[in-house]
Amino acid sequence: MALNDSEQGSNKKNSRAAARHRRADALRRRALSPFRIIVMILMLPATTAAIAVGVFLRTSEFEGPDALLHLVALAGCQAAEALVPGPYWDGEPGYHARNDTDGDGVACRATTPQFATPQPAADPQPAAAAPQRQVGTAKFVRP
């Protein structure tokens, strides 16, 4: 029994549709595999950080390396000085007001050790101190 043209055309359409469905199902299984989902979730913070750094570098008022120094200086003076030794002046890359301890416009200044002047010996009898109450490790001090 020979198939007529319309039956042959419908069989070809069905086989192409079935192959298309098989490919779509395989792609869906790969996309929704638990391993792939876990990897994507674990990579989310790194991806977000990379995007944030890229946006900062493009929108910063400083050029590339200076903008990177300015961004690293947000972590603190030790991190910034690992890249470029300070000090950093107000308006320049690497200066952040939170790193400027004395508020004079210079951040991450290398501090020289200041020697304390000798103080006279403390009086062996301390003045009458205010009584302190203590419960466990918590101290209650009257203001």
Side-chain angles (χ1 to χ4, degrees), residues 7-108:
E7 289 176 350
Q8 285 179 348
S10 68
N11 284 340
K12 284 183 181 181
K13 286 181 185 177
N14 288 340
S15 67
R16 280 186 270 163
R20 195 168 46 245
H21 284 291
R22 281 192 303 274
R23 285 191 307 269
D25 286 341
L27 183 64
R28 192 175 302 113
R29 278 192 304 275
R30 263 189 319 236
L32 296 176
S33 73
F35 177 74
R36 184 175 177 145
I37 291 172
I38 289 171
V39 168
M40 289 173 62
I41 289 171
L42 292 176
M43 290 300 296
L44 191 61
T47 305
T48 304
I51 291 170
V53 168
V55 168
F56 176 79
L57 291 176
R58 289 185 180 168
T59 59
S60 175
E61 69 229 31
F62 304 113
E63 292 299 317
D66 293 337
L68 190 59
L69 170 68
H70 195 66
L71 184 63
V72 169
L74 279 172
C77 288
Q78 288 181 338
E81 288 178 342
L83 293 177
V84 177
Y88 308 110
W89 287 272
D90 191 7
E92 292 184 4
Y95 177 84
H96 293 283
R98 64 187 235 161
N99 294 337
D100 185 4
T101 55
D102 53 2
D104 64 348
V106 181
C108 300

